[in-house]
Amino acid sequence: MSRFRKLSTSAAMTGIAVGAIAVLTAGTAAAATTVYSAGTSPNPAITYTCTFPGIPAQPVGITAHLSAPDTVPSGTTITPTNVGGTATVSASVHSLLTAVGLDGIRGSATVPVSATAGTLSQPAATGLNVPETIYPAGGPITVVISQVATSSIPTYTAGAAGSATLKLGTPITAALQFHKASDGSWSNWTMNCTLKAQSPAQNTSFSPNLTIS
């Protein structure tokens, strides 16, 4: 066989192999990742009523988010990532905390979730980080809550083909420490937040719905 013919044959075989790989890759391509969120625009933040040290229970605006595939095959188990959210208190609640000498927070949160058309491995995301934060004076306070390496995130196993809805649950709990402005010490506090009853009922669903193929 001539050298030219060998090169031509080799090039043809390489082209066939590349084409086969392309077909296989197209058939098994990973689903795109979507951010699912609750209590975010265009919907209002979800209002919970939370306990605080030294003052009566107060309203807290909650948002939540997570990242997961936009489509999950039936029977497949996934683990969401980038799980987190925010908790916001008004300027008036901030002033109440200031009046009892509290100006900072740190700790971890447990956030219950539910899902339709499938099953969760556990009823809540636990160990979500509430970073140490000393509040600036005055105004509303927004605390960012986020997944960290030590967090425990429920896996989701998809049910029959169709769509699934994820929802925030109640109560949200947090093992916190509040900072005392007078001496710089930290005091332990277990916060309990229950979904505020409203009419019509608040929308606690994550959007969009999860597609099951």
Side-chain angles (χ1 to χ4, degrees):
M1 183 182 290
S2 69
R3 183 170 181 271
F4 177 77
R5 186 177 178 184
K6 287 180 180 179
L7 290 172
S8 298
T9 301
S10 176
M13 293 302 293
T14 299
I16 292 170
V18 169
I21 291 171
V23 170
L24 289 172
T25 302
T28 58
T33 298
T34 294
V35 176
Y36 299 83
S37 58
T40 57
S41 180
N43 296 317
I46 302 164
T47 302
Y48 283 73
T49 301
C50 299
T51 58
F52 290 87
I55 64 174
Q58 299 293 328
V60 176
I62 299 292
T63 71
H65 61 75
L66 58 86
S67 296
D70 61 358
T71 302
V72 179
S74 177
T76 299
T77 299
I78 61 169
T79 303
T81 59
N82 190 34
V83 177
T86 62
T88 300
V89 301
S90 65
S92 60
V93 175
H94 186 180
S95 67
L96 292 174
L97 292 172
T98 300
V100 295
L102 302 176
D103 68 347
I105 197 173
R106 66 187 181 190
S108 63
T110 295
V111 180
V113 290
S114 64
T116 63
T119 57
L120 295 170
S121 61
Q122 60 192 51
T126 64
L128 299 177
N129 183 53
V130 178
E132 182 173 315
T133 305
I134 303 300
Y135 313 135
I141 302 167
T142 296
V143 176
V144 175
I145 303 166
S146 58
Q147 178 182 352
V148 292
T150 53
S151 301
S152 179
I153 306 301
T155 61
Y156 170 75
T157 302
S163 65
T165 301
L166 306 177
K167 289 186 176 184
L168 277 179
T170 188
I172 295 173
T173 61
L176 301 175
Q177 291 186 317
F178 279 85
H179 187 260
K180 296 180 180 180
S182 59
D183 60 9
S185 64
W186 294 87
S187 58
N188 295 329
W189 181 258
T190 299
M191 177 177 282
N192 289 282
C193 299
T194 55
L195 183 65
K196 184 177 181 180
Q198 293 184 355
S199 182
Q202 298 189 82
N203 179 14
T204 61
S205 299
F206 285 77
S207 181
N209 285 340
L210 177 66
T211 299
I212 304 174
S213 61

